[in-house]
Amino acid sequence: MSLWLNGIGVSRGIAIGRVQKLSGGDLEIPEYTIAEADVDAELRRFADAQARGREQLRQVRSQVPSGMGGAENEIAAFIDTHLLMMDDRSLTDAVVATIRSSRINAEAALKRQRDALMAVFEQMDDAYLRARRDDVKHVSARLLRILLNQERSLPVGDAEAPAGPPPEPSIIVSDDITPADIILLAQAGVAAFITEYGGPLSHTAILARSYGIPAIVGLHNARRLFRDGEAVIVDGDLGHALADPDAQALQFFHAKRNQQRERRAALSGLKDKPAISRDGVKIRLLANIELSEDATHAADLGAEGVGLYRTEFLYMNRKTLPTEDEQYEVYARVAASVKGPITIRTLDLGADKQVDSGARSGPTPNNPALGLRAIRLCLKEPDLFRAQVRALLRASAHGDVHIMLPMISSVGEYRQAMAFIAATREQLAREGATMAAHVPVGAMIEVPAAALAASLLARHCSFFSIGTNDLIQSTLAIDRVDDEVNYLYDPLHPAVLKLIRTTIEAGERARIPVAMCGEMAGDPRYTRLLLGLGLTEFSMHPASVLEVKRIIIESNVRALRAQAANLLETGDPQALEMLMAETG
Ligand code: PEP
Ligand code: MG
C-alpha cells in the first residue's frame, strides 16, 4: 500500500528508486571483556581503525569536486575538522584508558567516551558547540563502522558491477549523513537522500544542493517507516516521499522528472542572456561568496557581480586575527577580479559563527543570535572594526567596492557606524592612502525593527540588502539552526512578506537600490513572488543564478506586482499559490 510521508525538502528535484537504509550514528555496539593478554592487540585494533578512518577521510577530501560554487571549500574545511577530531585526545585518550583499565573492547570504550562527550555538549546552548557535538557523533560513527566491519553498508567501493540490467538507483534513508559520506554516496550515483534529522542550513543540505541530488531532511522515524528495497519516490521540491507508489503515481512523477531534466539542460544557454522580464524589467543577479576564490567562479555561472561577500570566513580556523594589510590584499584581489559591484559585508561574527582568534571573550550568552554579534560587536571593539574598515577603504581603489553593515537595528546604530567609517576615511586620507572617491555604504535589513523603520534608515543608506535568513528567524522567533522548530521556518508567512515589501517600498521612495541576499533570493520557488514584491536585485549561491534567470525572463513583472499587491491586502492563500505557480 502506498504511503505518503513528509519532511523538509532541502534539495530540489524528483528521484525514483529503491530504499537503501544506512546506519549512521546509532549502530548496535556489543560490549565484552577482553583478557589482560589481549589488551595490546585491542589497542592496536583501535589505532588501526583510526588510521583507516584518516585514510578514508583523506580520500574523500581528494575527491571533493571543484566547481560547486564555493561549497567545495566549505566541505574540505569540514572534512579537515573531522580529520583533526580523529586524533583529538579528548576522544582518543579516554578510549585507550578505558580499554586498559576496564578491559573492554574498543567499540564499547569508544561508545562510552562518545556518549560522555555528547552529553557535555548537549548541555550547552551555543549553536557552535552543538555543531561540535555532531562532529563527535560523526567521527565516532566512522570509527565504529570500521571497528564493526560495517563500512560496506555504504554503497560505494570497488566491487565489480554485476552483469545484467543496471541496478535501480538507491535512495538512501538514514538517521543522519555526514558531509564526507554524502560525497562518497553522490559519487556512487545515489538518487536521493532522506534523513531523520537536520535542517535546510545543515552541511548535508548544502552538499545535496551543490550536487543537485534531491533530499529531504527531518523526516522523523524514516528508517522505521521505510522497508529496505521498497520502491520510493522523493520529491525534493515539496519534501514528500511516497513509498510503494502505484502505477499512476509512477507515471506522474516520471513525467515531472523528465520535464525538470529538459529544463535544466536548456538553462546553460542562458548564461550570456540579460535577466530582463517579458515586459522589459531589468533584474540584477548577483552572487553570494564566502571565500575570495569564489568570485571568478560566480561570473562563470552568469552572476553580474557579488551581492554578499561574507568576510567572517577570513577570521575562522586561525589563532590570530587577520591584520589590516592581510585583509587589504584579499579584498583588493577580489575587487579587482569581479567585473561588477562587489558588496563586502563587515564582520558578522557571533551566533553560529564563532572564531578561535579572540574577537570576543567572556562566557557564551544564552541567546547568541540576539547577542553581541555583527555590527554590535564591531562597534564595541573599535580596533577590530578599524582594521577591517581601513582595509576595505583601501581596497576600494581596485574595484567597485560597496560596504554592507550586518544586523543594523536602528538609525542611531547605523549613524554611529557611518561616523566611524568617515573618521577612518579621514585618517587614511591624512596618511595619503588611495581610495575610491565614493564608497557606497548600506545596511543589511535582517532585524524586523530595521525593516519596520526602513523608511527612516533609507535616508542615511546608499543601499539595502534584505537578509531573509535572520529576518525570518527573528520575525517568527525560531532558531534557524534548530531542526526541532524548522517546520515553522516559513518565508511565506504574511508577516515576513510584509516586512520584505515595506523594505522594498522604503528603498523605492528614497531611490536607493534594494537587494536580497538571504537564501530566499536563490530559491526559484520564490522568484515570481519576489518580483511581485518589487525586488530588482537578487544575490544568491552562484549555482542558482541560471534557474532564477529563466524564471525572470519568462515573467511579466507588472502582472506579478498587481497579484502581489492583492495578496498582501487579502492574505488569500489561493492568491499566493497562483502567484508562485509558473503560469505567466
Ligand atoms: C541572512 O541573514 O539572510 C544573511 C544573508 O546572512 P547570514 O546567512 O550570513 O546570516
Ligand atoms: Mg544574517
Side-chain angles (χ1 to χ4, degrees):
M1 201 183 68
S2 299
L3 175 67
W4 274 109
L5 296 162
N6 292 322
I8 308 165
V10 295
S11 181
R12 305 184 65 206
I14 307 286
I16 301 167
R18 294 209 172 261
V19 169
Q20 178 164 4
K21 291 199 221 178
L22 268 195
S23 40
D26 51 356
L27 299 157
E28 284 279 312
I29 318 283
E31 179 168 329
Y32 50 87
T33 312
I34 50 171
E36 180 76 52
D38 293 335
V39 166
D40 282 346
E42 196 63 13
L43 290 174
R44 262 197 313 279
R45 200 164 73 85
F46 181 60
D48 288 349
Q50 281 177 286
R52 170 100 184 106
R54 274 192 295 272
E55 184 190 307
Q56 283 180 352
L57 286 170
R58 287 202 189 101
Q59 191 195 352
V60 172
R61 198 185 188 291
S62 70
Q63 289 170 356
V64 177
S66 56
M68 293 170 75
E72 61 270 34
N73 300 311
E74 207 175 328
I75 300 158
F78 197 87
I79 297 170
D80 286 343
T81 311
H82 281 196
L83 265 166
L84 284 176
M85 183 153 291
M86 197 64 88
D87 292 312
D88 194 305
R89 296 185 61 175
S90 62
L91 185 69
T92 57
D93 279 8
V95 175
V96 169
T98 308
I99 295 174
R100 279 213 177 98
S101 62
S102 305
R103 283 205 280 110
I104 56 168
N105 55 317
E107 306 68 338
L110 175 57
K111 177 179 180 292
R112 282 190 194 175
Q113 183 56 10
R114 176 200 69 186
D115 294 348
L117 283 174
M118 283 176 60
V120 172
F121 286 131
E122 201 81 54
Q123 281 163 12
M124 301 177 179
D125 284 340
D126 183 76
Y128 175 75
L129 293 173
R130 276 206 298 273
R132 297 286 72 76
R133 176 196 62 188
D134 290 345
D135 290 338
V136 171
K137 185 171 135 197
H138 290 153
V139 168
S140 306
R142 178 172 298 280
L143 288 172
L144 287 169
R145 275 205 304 262
I146 295 169
L147 287 165
L148 294 167
N149 277 328
Q150 291 200 12
E151 295 165 81
R152 286 286 161 237
S153 57
L154 285 180
V156 286
D158 24 48
E160 296 251 319
E168 288 188 66
S170 297
I171 307 244
I172 300 298
V173 175
S174 183
D175 54 344
D176 197 2
I177 304 177
T178 69
D181 285 341
I182 222 169
I183 294 169
L184 289 177
L185 292 164
Q187 284 167 354
V190 304
F193 300 104
I194 299 173
T195 65
E196 295 182 349
Y197 308 109
L201 301 175
S202 69
H203 283 89
T204 304
I206 292 170
L207 270 169
R209 282 197 287 275
S210 299
Y211 275 109
I213 298 177
I216 299 175
V217 301
L219 204 159
H220 291 193
N221 297 316
R223 284 169 306 160
R224 196 168 55 74
L225 297 167
F226 290 105
R227 278 175 290 119
D228 244 325
E230 81 178 323
V232 63
I233 296 172
V234 169
D235 185 336
D237 298 44
L238 301 174
H240 295 330
L242 177 61
D244 196 12
D246 59 21
Q248 210 181 353
L250 276 170
Q251 195 185 5
F252 174 81
F253 281 101
H254 269 296
K256 189 169 172 188
R257 187 178 60 180
N258 289 344
Q259 253 174 15
Q260 286 183 347
R261 283 184 179 162
E262 282 162 23
R263 279 182 184 210
R264 224 171 295 135
L267 283 181
S268 54
L270 295 182
K271 201 188 131 230
D272 298 317
K273 279 212 168 144
I276 298 179
S277 71
R278 277 193 355 235
D279 55 334
V281 180
K282 167 82 181 90
I283 304 295
R284 196 171 218 188
L285 296 180
L286 303 161
N288 290 354
I289 62 168
E290 274 78 42
L291 297 165
S292 54
E293 305 85 86
D294 303 343
T296 36
H297 184 62
D300 293 343
L301 287 170
E304 299 166 53
V306 170
L308 166 64
Y309 173 15
R310 290 177 161 105
T311 55
E312 46 279 5
F313 289 89
L314 249 181
Y315 292 68
M316 288 183 181
N317 297 320
R318 53 187 293 158
K319 292 272 173 253
T320 54
L321 294 169
T323 62
E324 175 192 328
D325 282 345
E326 193 184 331
Q327 293 187 62
Y328 160 70
E329 271 165 38
V330 174
Y331 303 148
R333 195 175 57 236
V334 182
S337 71
V338 172
K339 272 208 207 90
I342 157 101
T343 305
I344 307 182
R345 179 172 76 182
T346 57
L347 195 54
D348 184 8
L349 282 184
D352 57 336
K353 288 177 283 196
Q354 304 287 340
V355 293
D356 307 327
S357 45
R360 68 159 293 171
S361 52
T364 304
N366 280 340
N367 278 313
L370 305 183
L372 186 63
R373 54 174 283 211
I375 193 66
R376 302 167 184 182
L377 176 66
C378 287
L379 291 175
K380 177 127 190 290
E381 304 284 345
D383 292 343
L384 177 77
F385 197 31
R386 191 173 299 107
Q388 183 171 42
V389 172
R390 283 176 63 93
L392 288 170
L393 290 171
R394 286 168 61 199
S396 71
H398 303 274
D400 187 8
V401 171
H402 293 34
I403 298 178
M404 181 154 79
L405 305 173
M407 279 288 285
I408 290 290
S409 59
S410 70
V411 171
E413 190 178 43
Y414 186 81
R415 292 183 65 180
Q416 196 187 340
M418 286 303 287
F420 190 96
I421 294 171
T424 309
R425 177 182 257 285
E426 275 168 30
Q427 176 64 36
L428 276 170
R430 277 196 296 275
E431 293 168 21
T434 324
M435 297 171 275
H438 173 62
V439 179
V441 181
M444 270 191 86
I445 304 294
E446 51 183 345
V447 175
L452 290 167
S455 58
L456 301 176
L457 263 173
R459 294 183 201 156
H460 305 271
C461 299
S462 295
F463 63 90
F464 284 157
S465 186
I466 306 173
T468 47
N469 305 344
D470 277 311
L471 185 64
I472 297 169
Q473 161 169 269
S474 307
T475 307
L476 304 183
I478 32 167
D479 186 342
R480 65 192 253 194
V481 292
D482 183 346
D483 75 90
E484 299 273 21
V485 288
N486 232 310
Y487 70 103
L488 291 169
Y489 198 88
D490 179 14
L492 301 177
H493 192 293
V496 173
L497 300 186
K498 276 202 177 137
L499 291 178
I500 293 173
R501 180 61 202 145
T502 303
T503 307
I504 294 173
E505 223 164 35
E508 282 169 351
R509 261 192 255 116
R511 297 179 189 279
I512 60 166
V514 180
M516 178 180 286
C517 61
E519 287 289 297
M520 196 177 175
D523 188 330
R525 287 175 296 183
Y526 306 130
T527 307
R528 288 164 51 86
L529 172 64
L530 295 174
L531 289 171
L533 292 174
L535 192 71
T536 52
E537 284 193 23
F538 294 62
S539 190
M540 65 195 76
H541 188 283
S544 302
V545 167
L546 291 181
E547 185 152 14
V548 169
K549 191 189 276 189
R550 177 190 63 77
I551 298 172
I552 291 166
I553 290 172
E554 291 172 5
S555 295
N556 180 332
V557 170
R558 202 165 310 145
L560 291 174
R561 285 192 183 168
Q563 276 178 274
N566 172 42
L567 166 71
L568 288 178
E569 209 159 288
T570 61
D572 177 7
Q574 240 180 336
L576 177 63
E577 233 167 81
M578 274 172 59
L579 176 53
M580 289 175 60
E582 284 193 43
T583 50

